[in-house]
Amino acid sequence: MIKTLIKSTRITWASKTVNMYLLALTYAYFTNLTLKNPYEILGGLFLVSLLWGALYSLNDLTDLELDMNDVTKKGRAFIQNSIEKKWVMLFCGFVITAVFLISFAFMKPVFTLIMALMLLNQVLYTVPPIRLKDTLLAPFASTATNSVLRIASCCVLLDNIFLVPMSVYFFMYMAGMATYVMYKSKMGQASVVGTVAGATLIYILYSGTMNLVQFAIAVLPAFLAAIPLYLSLFIQKDAMMYVADRLYHQVALVFFLICILYIIF
């Protein structure tokens, strides 16, 4: 049971958080900001990743019946090994409580507040009766909002939530939304949102608020994963989504972590 619960946290999906932390840290690096709290930053990264692990478990529990009929999700932990709902809820509750207790004790209050917003957003998105996932608001409350909150959680540890320019926040929001609608095979929405994200990126590069290194960190890993995601709209959906998952959640994760350690130490 413990092994299944750990698997349900989708450990490699921490790449989403690590990617956003790396992007925020590049703004500190290129402005020659002295990092006086490297271990606090690593602690924040760990806490946010741990929180999302519990939230992914909760998501899989609430989606269990739907996922059983989706061949692309047959590898999810609770489908492969059935666990009583009470144990999953106990596990999620324990992890979330531990994360917030540690955050209250050792982290900045605003950092804890941002984590609380992550929790609130995901509960509204996942848990009935509101469950935004099943409404037209789903793209706005999913990866898009979560990307912005992940960046903000790192920026507050760097003592400036606006260290990352607002235009970059907006771009990451739209890019996250584009990834979501492509994943959901919504071709029309993907084209519109992708166009807005692309136009925003052109503005950011033209205005100089993002250099080529930051462009590579913000765009290339997700872009490489987006290629098979987009192709999945037309050909071999299962195979293409498998490739996208491995590119972003495993290969990129290792690269992101190495870069973060280089910057803060």
Side-chain angles (χ1 to χ4, degrees):
M1 183 176 72
I2 297 299
K3 182 178 179 180
T4 300
L5 288 170
I6 293 174
K7 181 181 178 181
S8 73
T9 63
R10 308 184 208 172
I11 295 173
T12 58
W13 281 41
S15 60
K16 296 180 178 181
T17 300
V18 177
N19 189 189
M20 295 301 97
Y21 266 60
L22 177 57
L23 178 61
L25 284 167
T26 61
Y27 280 91
Y29 180 80
F30 287 112
T31 56
N32 297 314
L33 180 67
T34 301
L35 301 182
K36 301 177 181 179
N37 58 339
Y39 292 106
E40 184 180 30
I41 293 170
L42 286 179
L45 174 60
F46 174 76
L47 288 176
V48 173
S49 298
L50 194 59
L51 172 64
W52 276 102
L55 294 177
Y56 288 139
S57 296
L58 181 62
N59 176 81
D60 286 359
L61 178 63
T62 58
D63 284 353
L64 186 56
E65 293 183 6
L66 293 173
D67 290 350
M68 285 180 176
N69 299 316
D70 188 336
V71 295
T72 65
K73 298 178 180 179
K74 60 185 178 182
R76 294 280 171 92
F78 300 143
I79 295 177
Q80 291 185 327
N81 297 282
S82 178
I83 294 181
E84 288 186 53
K85 182 178 180 179
K86 65 178 182 180
W87 295 116
V88 180
M89 294 298 295
L90 181 63
F91 172 74
C92 293
F94 173 79
V95 173
I96 292 171
T97 300
V99 164
F100 277 96
L101 286 177
I102 294 171
S103 186
F104 276 124
F106 300 106
M107 308 299 284
K108 295 178 172 66
V110 68
F111 174 83
T112 305
L113 174 61
I114 291 174
M115 286 211 305
L117 292 176
M118 294 179 187
L119 174 60
L120 176 63
N121 180 72
Q122 191 66 5
V123 168
L124 293 176
Y125 176 73
T126 304
V127 180
I130 297 177
R131 195 169 162 81
L132 294 175
K133 179 183 286 191
D134 296 333
T135 72
L136 295 175
L137 297 176
F140 300 93
S142 61
T143 305
T145 299
N146 298 333
S147 295
V148 170
L149 291 174
R150 285 178 170 108
I151 296 172
S153 71
C154 183
C155 286
V156 298
L157 296 178
L158 297 169
D159 295 321
N160 182 4
I161 196 170
F162 297 113
L163 178 64
V164 173
M166 287 300 297
S167 58
V168 177
Y169 273 115
F170 179 73
F171 167 70
M172 296 309 299
Y173 181 84
M174 297 306 297
M177 191 184 302
T179 302
Y180 177 85
V181 293
M182 280 191 286
Y183 178 75
K184 294 297 182 180
S185 301
K186 300 180 182 295
M187 296 176 60
Q189 294 180 26
S191 298
V192 172
V193 176
T195 299
V196 174
T200 305
L201 179 60
I202 292 173
Y203 166 77
I204 289 171
L205 293 173
Y206 181 77
S207 64
T209 52
M210 178 182 284
N211 60 35
L212 292 179
V213 172
Q214 291 161 336
F215 168 80
I217 292 169
V219 176
L220 289 185
F223 178 74
L224 290 175
I227 292 175
L229 271 180
Y230 187 76
L231 291 175
S232 72
L233 298 175
F234 308 100
I235 59 170
Q236 297 181 319
K237 181 176 181 178
D238 293 354
M240 290 297 100
M241 294 183 73
Y242 177 84
V243 171
D245 179 71
R246 290 297 179 269
L247 282 174
Y248 191 73
H249 294 135
Q250 294 185 18
V251 176
L253 174 62
V254 176
F255 174 72
F256 295 153
L257 284 172
I258 292 173
C259 291
I260 285 176
L261 292 174
Y262 174 80
I263 290 175
I264 65 176
F265 291 115

